[in-house]
Amino acid sequence: MKQLRFDFNNMFDFSIGKTHGVTDQDLQRIRKQAEQAHAHLQAILSDRSKRVNLCLEWAQLPFQDKAQVRQIQRLGNEIARRYENVISLGIGGSYLGLKAAQDALCPPYYNEFDGLRKGRPRIYFEGNNLDPETLSALLKNLDPRKTFVIVISKSGETTETKAAFAVVEPWLKKGAGPRYGRQIVCITDPNSGALRKKVNAHQAADPQSFRNLPLLKGVGGRYSELNMGLLHLAIVGVPIADVLAGAAAMSRRCAQPQLRKNPAYMYAALQTIAYRSKGKPIAILMPFAETLKSTADWYCQLLAESTGKKFSRSVKVNDQGREDWLMDKQHIVNLGRTPVPSRGTNDLHSIQQNNIEGANDKTVTFIRVESFTNDIRVPGAGDILSGQPFSRLLSLAQEATEWALVRQQRPNCTVIMPGITPYHWGGLLFFFEMATAFEGELLNINAFDQPGVEGYKNYMYFKLKKPGISSEISDEIKKNPLKKNKLFIL
Ligand code: PA5
């Protein structure tokens, strides 16, 4: 089986010059830190209790229990056989991986054409925004008797998902009757949260109602596609074993200590050097494949929530050798590259102008696909395009973009995918997950929490008068209202 490859030639001084390119000395300088980061990660990854405690259990997902996967597969097949539509509710890590999988691994226009779906249900993603238009339109047009609902929320408390489910549940009940709960599966924390409470209450009355798949302990939202996303893969008919096998193969490559042998470590090291020493805080991910655009969206969440941090990490080890990662409030670092999702060739006619001639403050990561399942040739004769396969034009456009960036001394690198197959997509996900975890180590931040997203939630909860808000939070909001001076609004 051909494996993913990582081409990092254009990150180096020999391609783009010393001012913007990484030198051998830069790589030498980061080597020691990389060795320490590897040793630290491996010490955690080799011990289940440490993995779970620090939220690194995602790294074991490629090797998860096969019997459990088969059970998910059976449930997915049952849903696929009995329903025409599935509404999947979730946001952030409970949505982006599923959407990425849907776009990459299902045929394009899957929802539109029966033949492409091979009798499987249409999938509609909702609960990932508070915009009322999309959900209203969907529910007006779906038949609840033919629709299955999956609610995914690790915490079981997230506003967007909760609000959407509060609308979908009575809609389903009204249309499908008193046993509507049999058309719902919830994926949530096994012990806590409002959704868990609901599940437990329904399950006590009818074990077929509000069936549920527990989230594995120690797997954070954005690292959880190979956990909470499996039911969705089973419903749309993606071979889960292939996705996991690709991720497992990549996991073995990403366990190697040497930068030169470990694609994820090399990716993180080069990006960190470019960021910290060459003034490149912006990270553009540009797959040259329409169907990987949502994979770029998924990566943007992964990078932004994992590495965008105010405080550096302070590691505390107790007498039993257990580590805790605390926020070092004495050290405000405000770190993290800013990810930008993009796609070729579409964006060659938009943000590429800025990539080439705007501020030289970014790295571009391409994803290049070597072979497509369906190719077409430009018909006719007499034109330079005549007879050319689209796939060749796409590859050439990617190569041309690399060349143009190199000519302007813009750092870029390429992940080469032999094909957009379940195996290679599983590998791609794991590559980015490990690269992000390693980048977190190199930056010495906690790549597995997201304390910054609490600010907006607290403000909303305060305004919505949620009971139990701490006085510290409510005082802060009361003392610091948003200033809206009419003179400053035209
Ligand atoms: O990575 C994360 O943990 C977050 O992006 C969550 O996935 C997101 O906030 C949704 O949370 P929940 O699954 O609890 O509804």
Side-chain angles (χ1 to χ4, degrees), residues 91-94 152-156 158 161 220-222 301 305 450:
I91 192 166
S94 299
I152 311 180
S153 179
K154 183 175 151 69
S155 61
T158 303
T161 315
R222 58 194 173 274
Q301 185 213 1
E305 277 197 339
Q450 55 286 327

Side-chain angles (χ1 to χ4, degrees), residues 5 25 27 34 78 115 137 143 154 183 198-199 212-213 227 270 275-276 278 280 285 289 317 320 359 368 433 459:
R5 296 182 322 279
Q25 291 88 320
L27 215 49
E78 177 205 313
D143 179 347
K154 183 175 151 69
Q183 289 174 223
K198 218 174 198 348
V199 165
N212 60 105
L213 300 174
N227 179 187
L270 293 173
Y275 169 41
R276 305 288 274 160
K278 312 279 171 189
K280 314 287 179 244
L285 180 58
V317 187
Q320 285 79 48
R368 177 189 179 97
E433 287 174 348
Y459 186 90

